[in-house]
Amino acid sequence: MGTVVSVRLNGGLTDAGGPVLRHAARAAVAGVFDRWDDRFSLYRPGSELSRVASGAIRLPNASRELRDCYALALDWRDRTDGVFTPHRGDGVIDLSGIVKALAIVEAGSALESLGQKAWSINAGGDILVSGCPNVTFARRLDPNVDPDWVVALVNPLDRLDLLATVPLRAPLRAVATSGSAERGDHIWTPAPGIRSPFRQVSVLAADIVTADVLATAIVAGGEPMLNQCAATYEIEVLAVLQGGGLLATPGLRR
């Protein structure tokens, strides 16, 4: 998927089941992401989605997984009034806006099938967590406190600077960031040729699919979409304007 995927078990400070479990966890997560990339990458001519794009496979004859993913993306298109879209400007189906999040979800399930309940998966800055990190270690310091997974939101104007460090507390256990800081302007806006007012948008949500889709939709749709999403979904948003100003929902301001 052109990015780095990292996995932390119990925050990385405990043994977390030993080398055998760590090796199994790494293999399981790698296998999940390889499989999704093999099927949905438009950069691999032999992927199923590339063959749909070329006409070698008709969409009704594609796999159930591909058709279900496309249906989910269409549902999100409707929920965002068309701002989030699974179609490129030339009409080709492009599911990159949703498959990474779905791969993260499946990778989390793979970790839990290995008996691992406390984990963090970070795929290119999109993060999903489960359980509490280092519970045993933390309770040695304070028996009354469960530790939180904490994420850092980087300043897109200065990659060595942090805008905020945010605990991922239930129900908000996922965070996704979208924008032009890392990959340039790659998100289509509803008005062709009109640049997004946002350089970067981070969304905290209960699940990574919602966080990922809405981060992309807000970058594409600007402040009206930010306001609509914040009013509709239980999320928190930190948006960085092109000039460096910030817009934040109440929870992130706190």
Side-chain angles (χ1 to χ4, degrees), residues 195-236:
R195 192 182 189 192
S196 170
F198 298 131
R199 187 172 181 86
Q200 177 176 289
V201 172
S202 298
V203 174
L204 282 73
D207 68 277
I208 190 61
V209 174
T210 298
D212 198 16
V213 168
L214 295 186
T216 300
I218 292 169
V219 170
E223 192 168 348
M225 181 55 58
L226 189 161
N227 294 334
Q228 177 180 324
C229 291
T232 305
Y233 300 95
E234 188 175 357
I235 60 174
E236 297 291 347

Side-chain angles (χ1 to χ4, degrees), residues 120 127 129 133 147-154 162-170 172-177 200 202-205 235-238 248-254:
S120 166
I127 301 170
V129 303
D148 294 308
W149 292 102
V150 177
V151 296
L153 303 181
V154 176
L162 299 181
L163 296 175
T165 53
V166 185
L168 291 180
R169 295 172 180 158
L172 305 182
R173 304 289 275 169
V175 60
T177 297
Q200 177 176 289
S202 298
V203 174
L204 282 73
I235 60 174
E236 297 291 347
V237 182
L238 180 63
T249 50
L252 276 175
R253 285 201 296 272
R254 289 195 296 271

Side-chain angles (χ1 to χ4, degrees), residues 2-130:
T3 190
V4 174
V5 178
S6 61
V7 179
R8 294 175 67 86
L9 305 179
N10 287 334
L13 296 180
T14 67
D15 189 60
V20 173
L21 176 57
R22 289 198 296 273
H23 177 77
R26 182 172 63 181
V29 171
V32 168
F33 277 89
D34 284 344
R35 187 175 62 80
W36 279 86
D37 202 33
D38 285 343
R39 172 161 284 169
F40 290 99
S41 173
L42 287 175
Y43 296 96
R44 297 187 177 191
S47 76
E48 184 178 13
L49 190 58
S50 288
R51 287 183 287 152
V52 170
S54 69
I57 300 175
R58 296 181 63 248
L59 184 60
N61 298 328
S63 67
R64 166 59 73 83
E65 186 177 29
L66 190 151
R67 288 183 285 117
D68 285 350
C69 185
Y70 182 49
L72 179 61
L74 291 176
D75 179 55
W76 276 109
R77 183 189 65 180
D78 293 342
R79 291 200 234 175
T80 58
D81 299 328
V83 174
F84 177 87
T85 175
H87 300 107
R88 294 191 327 205
D90 58 4
V92 168
I93 297 173
D94 184 348
L95 299 175
S96 58
I98 201 166
V99 296
K100 182 170 68 172
L102 292 172
I104 293 173
V105 172
E106 185 178 325
S109 297
L111 291 177
E112 293 185 354
S113 72
L114 295 172
Q116 184 63 42
K117 302 302 182 184
W119 47 261
S120 166
I121 300 173
N122 180 339
D126 295 345
I127 301 170
L128 178 66
V129 303
S130 177

